[in-house]
Amino acid sequence: GAGVSQTPSNKVTEKGKYVELRCDPISGHTALYWYRQSLGQGPEFLIYFQGTGAADDSGLPNDRFFAVRPEGSVSTLKIQRTERGDSAVYLCASSLTSGGALDTQYFGPGTRLTVL
Amino acid sequence: SQKIEQNSEALNIQEGKTATLTCNYTNYSPAYLQWYRQDPGRGPVFLLLIRENEKEKRKERLKVTFDTTLKQSLFHITASQPADSATYLCAIRGDSNYQLIWGAGTKLIIKP
């Protein structure tokens, strides 16, 4: 079956603009995660969804970042008033059930965001 | 806060030899630790999970050890192949049951 997909694969925007990044998790996976990865660094946790609700959004850096998952499947990460420091690869992952310790996370290829 | 350290310099290994990567952590006592592989332009791919009560875990040519006293995990690839070239990251669970805290990864290069 299909893995986690993310669109667009690349996004170039200007400082101050609004962007949306989309994640399609593996069908049937209830847990969904967003991470941000800067060059030469490991992924940084942003937010976790269990079903439609954000169970943990403690990793969102500020209120310019927001994510939704209205039907418990596709998720959109929204960034307002983008800044150059937002440039990174945004990774999405999904797992089958509760997001517990032994649930394997399957990652998408990421969206590379560049803010000029 | 929790901190994970991996060798920042690339590791060059001759094909056929064993590659050993290190993951050290501080300020935490994780119940388990995970290793992932990441290729350029791709997301991480899960390889192995080892629990605190397991000293060693094996999967084909991969072996992971977990020393909770030293706060260290070692990741070994035996009979290494050029296709094993990638960045390898370790991760532990954070304060919540959902957050993974990641090392920066070590780039492994297997030379034919």
Side-chain angles (χ1 to χ4, degrees), chain A residues 60-104:
Chain A
L60 295 177
N62 52 59
D63 61 6
R64 295 186 298 105
F65 289 75
F66 189 71
V68 295
R69 194 186 185 199
E71 298 178 357
S73 178
V74 170
S75 177
T76 305
L77 178 66
K78 308 180 181 192
I79 310 174
Q80 299 177 327
R81 304 183 304 280
T82 52
E83 300 177 356
R84 293 193 179 87
D86 298 335
S87 297
V89 175
Y90 288 81
L91 294 164
C92 175
S94 69
S95 62
L96 183 60
T97 54
S98 64
L102 302 183
D103 249 359
T104 298

Side-chain angles (χ1 to χ4, degrees), chain A residues 33 35 37 40-43 45 48 55-56 58 91 98-105 107-109, chain B residues 32 34 36 38 41-46 49 51 89 93 96-105:
Chain A
Y33 312 78
Y35 294 87
Q37 187 174 26
Q41 300 298 315
F45 171 82
Y48 158 70
D56 185 349
S58 62
L91 294 164
S98 64
L102 302 183
D103 249 359
T104 298
Q105 294 187 22
F107 283 80
Chain B
Y32 31 85
Q34 303 179 6
Y36 288 75
Q38 188 172 24
R42 302 288 191 109
V45 174
F46 173 79
L49 178 148
R51 303 178 196 187
L89 302 108
R93 289 283 167 168
S96 78
N97 202 28
Y98 321 111
Q99 294 188 27
L100 283 176
I101 298 174
W102 298 76

Side-chain angles (χ1 to χ4, degrees), chain B residues 4-96:
Chain B
I4 300 182
E5 292 184 343
Q6 295 185 253
N7 293 342
S8 58
E9 293 184 8
L11 181 63
N12 288 273
I13 298 293
Q14 196 68 37
E15 180 179 9
K17 301 293 186 183
T18 296
T20 298
L21 307 177
T22 305
C23 175
N24 295 295
Y25 59 92
T26 58
N27 298 333
Y28 197 64
S29 297
Y32 31 85
L33 184 147
Q34 303 179 6
W35 282 90
Y36 288 75
R37 168 182 173 143
Q38 188 172 24
D39 291 282
R42 302 288 191 109
V45 174
F46 173 79
L47 296 175
L48 281 168
L49 178 148
I50 186 165
R51 303 178 196 187
E52 62 177 342
N53 61 351
E54 297 175 316
K55 297 297 183 187
E56 182 179 296
K57 197 84 169 276
R58 291 177 183 261
K59 179 183 177 183
E60 298 173 349
R61 294 183 296 110
L62 308 180
K63 184 178 84 170
V64 172
T65 63
F66 193 13
D67 189 325
T68 55
T69 301
L70 292 179
K71 294 187 182 292
Q72 180 181 80
S73 176
L74 299 179
F75 177 83
H76 307 271
I77 305 176
T78 59
S80 59
Q81 305 166 2
D84 296 327
S85 299
T87 295
Y88 291 85
L89 302 108
C90 64
I92 62 175
R93 289 283 167 168
D95 290 334
S96 78

